[in-house]
Amino acid sequence: MLSKDVARLSGVTTRTLRHYHQIGILPEPPRRENGYREYGAVDVARVLRIKRLASLGLSLEQIGTILEKEESGGTGAPE
């Protein structure tokens, strides 16, 4: 699915997706031959997770730390 599809499904803008890529909390997906990003369901889930954590008042920096801990097998809970 394309950036616009992920943005629509998750309720963010395509600019927000690019910002998440830029700061490293959303990994860059592979690109199609035409250069468009190709997202999957896992990417949508991650954007929704980021959005939920942000709605709880966490900064994007804190969210990045939580996501890194989760990926490395930690609990992801703030200390």
Side-chain angles (χ1 to χ4, degrees):
M1 95 184 65
L2 299 173
S3 297
K4 67 178 182 175
D5 302 319
V6 174
R8 181 179 46 79
L9 288 170
S10 59
V12 300
T13 65
T14 54
R15 175 67 190 114
T16 298
L17 293 177
R18 287 192 299 272
H19 180 65
Y20 290 169
H21 291 308
Q22 215 172 18
I23 63 173
I25 61 174
L26 181 63
E28 281 278 344
R31 292 186 181 254
R32 295 179 175 182
E33 266 186 43
N34 60 8
Y36 291 175
R37 292 177 176 98
E38 181 65 36
Y39 293 90
V42 172
D43 299 307
V44 175
R46 187 172 180 108
V47 172
L48 290 171
R49 176 101 168 106
I50 293 167
K51 190 174 168 185
R52 175 67 178 141
L53 291 169
S55 75
L56 294 172
L58 294 160
S59 70
L60 293 178
E61 184 178 338
Q62 291 171 314
I63 293 169
T65 301
I66 290 169
L67 295 174
E68 283 176 21
K69 286 183 181 179
E70 287 176 350
E71 289 172 356
S72 66
T75 63
E79 296 179 16

